[in-house]
Each structure stands twice: as structure tokens, then as C-alpha cells.
Amino acid sequence: MPGLIELLSPEERKKLSGLGLAAAAVIVLVILSLFFWSYRLNDLRTEAGRMTAELKKISSQNEQARQEFANWQLTRQELEELEKTAFYSGSDGQEVFRQDLKSLFNQTGLPVPPINYQYEESGKKQYKRLAASFALRFSYPSLKKFLYRVETWPRLLIIDQINFQKIDNAAGTLDLRLTLSGYYYERNY
């Protein structure tokens, strides 16, 4: 190789060394740009990973919101069903409450006692409380049967209060004062 360079003229040697320097500069420039793009690519890869994690988080939140919305829709449907079946409503709702109490006493084999009715008169609430207070004398099995009937009644009946007036251990009877409530639904349009 040293013999070939000697065959070149000084001008050709200059051109050849200039081409060599230019080629070396291009190679250095290519190497530097490869390093730059590799760092840039790593940054983009890191950014893509972060964005993917953010997208998964947003997707999870979106799915959670969809599930919550579906649950609220189901709750609304259940509430509408309760309004139709469990609450007293309409112009005859209070009379139906009274008839249900009479049926409840008849099904448990108890005489219908004198009942004191109380109606909530607040005009702002959609659900109004219908309360009935009465005194009864029970045997323990009759009390269990009565409580079972209240619990399994098709409409929503709640025992608000039980006051034990007298407990006769010898006769096995209980004198109680009960407050039983139903709920009246008024649709506000």
C-alpha cells in the first residue's frame, strides 16, 4: 500500500486525504446521529410505556364508571319495582295499609285490636310513613308467628317499636305495645 500512494501526485494526495477526512467526518456524524436517535428512541419507548400505563389506568376508571352506572341503573329499576310492589301508593294506599294489617292479624290467628293510625303529613317527601300502634297479648309462639308474617309480608312493613308491658311467666303470655310502619309512595311530577 505505501507504494500506491507514492504513485499519486501531490494534488491527488490532497484530494484523497480530503475525501478521507470527509468520509471520516460522515462516519463520525452517522455514529453521533445513531447515538442521538438511540437516546431519543429510549425516551420515546419510556414515554410510550408511561402512556400505556396511563391508558390502562383510564380504561380501568372508565370500566369502573361503566360498572357503577350499570349498578345505578339496576338500583333505579329495583326502586321502581319496589315502588310498584313494596310501597303503598295511589289514592287508596292508606286503605290498603289498613286492610293489610287486618289480613296480617287474620293470618296469624289474632283478633284485630284497636289500632291508632298516624300518617306523616310532610309535603316535601316522596315516601311518607304510615304507622299503626296497637296493644296485643301474645304467647311466645304467636309472637314468633306474627313476626314471621311481618317479615315475609309482600309489602314493606317495619316494626318500629316493641314495648313489653307485662310478661306473665306462669301463663306464658306477653302484653306488648307495637308500632308497625308501612311506607306510602307519592310520585311528585
Side-chain angles (χ1 to χ4, degrees):
M1 196 88 154
L4 290 176
I5 289 184
E6 291 174 9
L7 294 175
L8 297 174
S9 67
E11 192 177 303
E12 289 174 336
R13 283 184 194 168
K14 271 187 178 181
K15 285 182 183 179
L16 189 59
S17 67
L19 275 174
L21 283 175
V26 166
I27 289 174
V28 167
L29 189 62
V30 167
I31 290 172
L32 288 176
S33 69
L34 286 176
F35 279 121
F36 170 76
W37 285 110
S38 71
Y39 285 125
R40 180 72 180 133
L41 202 61
N42 282 339
D43 288 345
L44 288 174
R45 193 174 295 134
T46 303
E47 181 72 14
R50 189 181 62 75
M51 293 296 228
T52 302
E54 186 71 23
L55 180 63
K56 285 181 182 177
K57 180 181 173 185
I58 290 171
S59 295
S60 172
Q61 289 173 346
N62 187 17
E63 185 58 36
Q64 232 177 353
R66 286 179 191 265
Q67 186 64 36
E68 188 173 337
F69 179 73
N71 288 343
W72 279 111
Q73 291 286 41
L74 182 62
T75 300
R76 182 179 181 165
Q77 290 172 354
E78 289 173 352
L79 185 58
E80 287 173 356
E81 184 66 28
L82 277 175
E83 289 170 356
K84 292 176 187 172
T85 60
F87 295 111
Y88 297 95
S89 63
S91 60
D92 62 341
Q94 294 172 355
E95 185 58 35
V96 173
F97 176 66
R98 289 181 185 143
Q99 292 302 320
D100 278 356
L101 286 178
K102 289 177 184 174
S103 296
L104 181 68
F105 289 120
N106 290 337
Q107 288 180 15
T108 54
L110 298 170
V112 178
I115 300 173
N116 180 22
Y117 294 99
Q118 298 168 343
Y119 302 103
E120 189 176 271
E121 292 297 330
S122 170
K124 295 181 180 180
K125 294 181 181 178
Q126 278 186 312
Y127 300 97
K128 296 182 180 184
R129 184 173 160 256
L130 306 169
S133 297
F134 48 89
L136 282 175
R137 175 170 277 194
F138 287 111
S139 65
Y140 181 70
S142 295
L143 176 61
K144 281 178 46 177
K145 186 175 180 181
F146 180 79
L147 293 176
Y148 174 76
R149 289 285 181 197
V150 169
E151 187 177 315
T152 59
W153 199 255
R155 294 197 188 265
L156 181 65
L157 291 177
I158 297 173
I159 297 177
D160 285 334
Q161 188 175 25
I162 298 178
N163 291 328
F164 290 86
Q165 305 290 320
K166 181 180 174 189
I167 300 172
D168 186 358
N169 289 334
T173 60
L174 306 165
D175 287 343
L176 304 174
R177 179 116 186 114
L178 290 130
T179 302
L180 189 69
S181 294
Y183 288 88
Y184 180 83
Y185 173 73
E186 278 187 358
R187 189 176 295 271
N188 292 338
Y189 293 101

